Each structure stands twice: as C-alpha cells, then as structure tokens.
Amino acid sequence: MTQSNIVTINIAQKPEKKYDIIIGSNIQQNLNAYLQKYTTAKKFLVVTNETVWNLYKEKIKIDNAKFLILKDGEEFKNIETLKKIYDAAIESQIERKDCLIAFGGGVVGDITGFAASTYLRGVDFVQIPTTLLAMVDSAVGGKVAINHEKGKNLIGAFYQPKFVLSDIEFLKTLDTRQLKTGLAEVVKYAFIEKSCACELNYRFFDFLHANKEKIVNLDTNTIIRLVNICCTLKACVVEKDETEKGQRAILNFGHTFAHAIEALTHYTIFTHGEAVAMGMKMAFKLALSLKMIDKDYAYAGNELIDKYELAGTIPKFDSQKFLDAMLLDKKTESHKLRFILPDADFKVKITTDVNETKIISSIINPNL
Ligand code: NAD
Ligand code: GLY
C-alpha cells in the first residue's frame, strides 16, 4: 500500500522555482508518473552510487533513462567525479529540456545537483534521497556542491530541484550509524523550531521525546510525519532566504563546531551527524556560559541528544587547532567566527563577537 503527503517549497518572489517534496511509503513505484507530471524531459540520466545501485537496481524502473553508477564515498564528491557526470550526460545526449536524477544520499544529491546547475547552463534535476539525512536536509533547499581539497562544499550553487521524492522504504536498508547521522539533523530542527517562523507549532522537541521507539524502528506513519515536519521547517526558512543572506544560517545550528571536528579528524572518524551532535552540545554549553539560556534548557537539550545516543564520547581537542579550523570554514565572515546559539527554548540566535575564553571552554569541556 502506498501512502504519501506533500510539502511545497515556494521561494519568495521566485514562483518559477516552486516545487513539491512528496513524502511517503512505497511511492517510488509511481516515479514515472511523477516525472511526467513535474518535468518536460524526454530523457533522464540517473546518477547513483554502487551501494544504492546494488540494493535497488531491481526496484528502480525509469522510462527512457541511462544510469551512471559512481563510487561510494564523500571522497568522490569532487571535480573528477563531476566530469564523469558531464561525460555521461553528453554520451546520453541529455538536452536542455531533459533531466538529471539524483538517486542516493547527500553525496549523490549534492554532486548531481551541481552538475545539473552547470551542464548546458542548467538542466532540470530531481532528488530521490535514500538516506534520512538527505530526506530531512540535503535534498531540500537547493544547496548543491562539490568538495575542493582545501575544504568541503567550496564549489557550489543554489539550484532547486523540480521535485523531491522521499520514499521512506529506502531507509530500511540504512545501518544504525547512518540512521543516527540523519537523526542528528532531525534533532537540530527541534532546537531551531521557533526561529523557523512557521505558522504551525509542532512542538517537535516533545514529538521526538514521545516517539523514540517508533522513530528508531522506522514506524511508517511516524517517519512520514517526522520527514514532513523537518521539510516544512526547512521550507519556512529557505522560502524567505534561499541564498543564505541571513536567517538560513540557523539551519547550521551546531555546525560551526561540527565542521572543525570533521576537519580536525580528517572526515574519517565521525559521520557528519555525530559531529553535529557534538557541535550542538558545545553550542548549548557556550550559550549557557554566555547566560543566553538557563540550566534547565541546556540540560534538556543535552538529554534529547543523549536519548538518541547521537554524540558518543567527545574527544579532547587542542583548542587552538580547533579555533583555527573554525576560522577556515567557509561560513566565517571577514575572518570572524559566527555561531548559531540557543537563546530561548527552541530558538536560536546568530551570534558573533563571542568571548574566546568561553568558546575554548565549551570546546575543551562541552559537558554541562
Ligand atoms: P552519503 O550520501 O555518503 O550516504 C551515506 C552512506 O549511506 C553511503 O555509504 C551511501 O552509499 C549509503 N546509502 C545511501 N542510501 C542508502 C540506503 N537506502 N541503504 C543503505 N545505504 C545507503 O551521506 P549522507 O549522510 O546522505 O549525506 C552527506 C552529504 O550530504 C555530505 O556530502 C554533506 O556535505 C551533504 N550535505 C548537504 C546538505 C545540503 O543542504 N545540500 C546538507 C547536509 C549535508
Ligand atoms: N543544510 C543547511 C542548509 O541547507 O542551509
């Protein structure tokens, strides 16, 4: 049986960019109908990776499509792989009205989206995310990129897909670690909910507390609801600030610290979500020491992160190297550190000019 619902993203003053995120169970079987409805394409180039292809090659049936199967891994999100996508698009005679399809996690989504944004000065693309992280974050909102050896996502664009098809059935083959990396981004939405300025009050924090068993066991209705809430919250932010001139930065709660953790551990020890979970703990500690929040909320934040066992044991970092790594991140402005810090229950504030001693203390001892 298929079940689905839709979140629409409607970028302010850009109605031509409006698109639907279709969220459901077993909906990939309707993919050809969705492609007909939402695109003008006669031909498709589907970009995926070896892991996803091996799991789903029997299931994913797309009319008039060629498939490009990339190697699996963040280390392949680079210019060499990008060229392979261009080569395959040329080989498949993809024309302006045709379409690229990203079928995979955030790596496949980001690189395929970037290829689509530049090939023939821009062709349509569709996101079919297969990880939780991609469903709640990377496939939504139009950030597309590749990495440079000097840093992650340094070359990219804002380029919205024609639609996103999130079939939660794909999540059933994710291992626990990959599920948890997505859950870290999910929990992030609980802490920024009120700053997303959506009309609906989800009390997502309470939802996550009440539904842990159903969430980790991938109960269909609960996960559809969860992905829907995350996408709705993200849509509210992206619609008002597509290109991150300001408020979109709140989606990076915990990420200033996380990017340094990932860089210092050479992207090999922790998943992105594990680093984000650690970064959110550091953000709570820093906000508490700056008296932006009270102890109760700082503890409640940590408790939710721990309930889902997202952060693990945070290593002892060299604080100077950590500060240097944060300063190298592309999100710094005029070489100034910028943090997204909690300043009330489920609200965050974009904060600069933070006392360095307090930053160091939150890095060295993030525990409350
Ligand atoms: P990923 O794409 O590397 O996928 C994680 C692993 O899961 C990979 O080994 C992949 O092959 C495997 N996998 C994918 N789907 C599967 C399935 N259904 N069953 C079993 N295994 C499956 O990583 P990710 O966590 O999805 O995404 C991380 C990437 O997303 C990073 O490159 C990051 O920079 C990017 N990102 C982008 C945004 C954005 O807004 N564009 C936001 C967050 C992260
Ligand atoms: N993942 C952060 C953003 O889309 O802005």
Side-chain angles (χ1 to χ4, degrees):
M1 200 182 68
T2 68
Q3 323 170 31
S4 66
N5 58 41
I6 290 180
V7 173
T8 301
I9 296 208
N10 199 356
I11 311 271
Q13 272 108 47
K14 293 181 186 158
E16 72 286 357
K17 291 191 176 182
K18 185 172 169 179
Y19 62 97
D20 287 341
I21 304 158
I22 307 145
I23 305 155
S25 155
N26 285 314
I27 50 173
Q28 63 82 24
Q29 57 189 262
N30 307 325
L31 181 55
N32 285 304
Y34 287 126
L35 289 169
Q36 279 208 355
K37 176 176 173 192
Y38 289 106
T39 79
T40 54
K42 300 251 180 319
K43 296 190 282 308
F44 300 94
L45 175 65
V46 184
V47 182
T48 186
N49 75 17
E50 292 163 341
T51 307
V52 176
W53 180 245
N54 287 333
L55 286 165
Y56 293 109
K57 60 176 171 250
E58 303 304 334
K59 236 182 181 177
I60 196 94
K61 301 284 176 213
I62 303 176
D63 299 338
N64 304 314
K66 295 264 166 54
F67 287 81
L68 173 66
I69 297 142
L70 304 176
K71 292 206 169 109
D72 185 359
E74 180 74 33
E75 66 272 33
F76 300 108
K77 195 174 130 183
N78 59 21
I79 201 148
E80 287 78 28
T81 310
L82 182 68
K83 181 170 181 305
K84 288 191 175 135
I85 302 179
Y86 295 141
D87 290 348
I90 294 166
E91 175 88 2
S92 314
Q93 299 182 323
I94 295 292
E95 298 173 356
R96 258 276 162 68
K97 285 190 166 175
D98 294 330
C99 181
L100 303 193
I101 299 177
F103 178 43
V107 168
V108 166
D110 277 14
I111 195 167
T112 308
F114 186 61
S117 74
T118 44
Y119 178 70
L120 299 180
R121 299 197 177 87
V123 293
D124 288 350
F125 92 112
V126 167
Q127 289 269 19
I128 309 178
T130 59
T131 63
L132 182 61
L133 182 138
M135 288 184 195
V136 299
D137 193 1
S138 64
V140 175
K143 276 190 182 174
V144 294
I146 56 168
N147 300 330
H148 185 275
E149 62 262 28
K150 296 279 182 209
K152 264 188 82 171
N153 298 326
L154 284 187
I155 304 156
F158 293 96
Y159 196 68
Q160 305 296 338
K162 281 289 143 187
F163 72 98
V164 181
L165 184 107
S166 286
D167 189 331
I168 60 142
E169 289 301 307
F170 292 129
L171 302 180
K172 294 192 172 153
T173 50
L174 282 183
D175 64 30
T176 308
R177 200 166 178 213
Q178 288 305 335
L179 189 66
K180 280 193 186 177
T181 197
L183 282 172
E185 296 286 2
V186 167
V187 164
K188 170 194 81 180
Y189 286 105
F191 300 134
I192 67 169
E193 175 175 351
K194 284 194 180 160
S195 297
C196 294
C198 277
E199 275 167 25
L200 292 166
N201 176 12
Y202 291 112
R203 298 198 61 90
F204 193 42
F205 181 89
D206 298 341
F207 175 90
L208 293 176
H209 257 300
N211 290 292
K212 183 191 163 197
E213 284 315 308
K214 286 184 178 170
I215 290 169
V216 297
N217 291 312
L218 297 178
D219 171 72
T220 301
N221 287 331
T222 312
I223 296 292
I224 291 176
R225 174 103 182 111
L226 175 146
V227 175
N228 185 312
I229 293 173
C230 294
C231 290
T232 307
L233 291 170
K234 184 159 184 179
C236 289
V237 176
V238 170
E239 284 176 348
K240 290 176 222 118
D241 181 21
E242 182 193 14
T243 54
E244 202 167 313
K245 299 278 185 287
Q247 191 67 357
R248 183 166 178 163
I250 66 166
L251 296 169
N252 293 318
F253 176 55
H255 286 58
T256 309
F257 294 107
H259 289 152
I261 294 169
E262 289 180 283
L264 288 177
T265 54
H266 309 287
Y267 302 94
T268 51
I269 315 267
F270 303 113
T271 64
H272 178 64
E274 286 161 351
V276 168
M278 292 176 197
M280 290 192 290
K281 284 196 163 191
M282 290 173 178
F284 272 109
K285 177 76 185 270
L286 182 55
L288 181 64
S289 70
L290 294 169
K291 300 194 171 30
M292 292 170 69
I293 50 169
D294 60 26
K295 245 183 166 181
D296 285 352
Y297 184 50
Y299 274 98
N302 272 256
E303 202 190 322
L304 185 64
I305 296 166
D306 289 341
K307 182 167 188 157
Y308 282 87
E309 299 169 57
L310 301 177
T313 309
I314 306 179
K316 294 273 171 241
F317 289 103
D318 176 308
S319 53
Q320 193 52 52
K321 284 190 183 150
F322 202 104
L323 286 175
D324 292 345
M326 286 199 289
L327 278 167
L328 272 179
D329 189 62
K330 70 178 183 310
K331 289 189 174 61
T332 52
E333 270 178 15
S334 317
H335 218 59
K336 262 189 175 174
L337 283 176
R338 186 179 59 163
F339 295 94
I340 318 301
L341 296 179
D343 70 333
D345 289 6
F346 321 127
K347 275 183 84 180
V348 287
K349 190 172 169 196
I350 302 168
T351 315
T352 47
D353 294 319
V354 181
N355 175 302
E356 195 172 291
T357 313
K358 294 200 161 150
I359 300 174
I360 290 174
S361 147
S362 66
I363 295 164
I364 295 175
N365 185 11
N367 295 319
L368 298 173

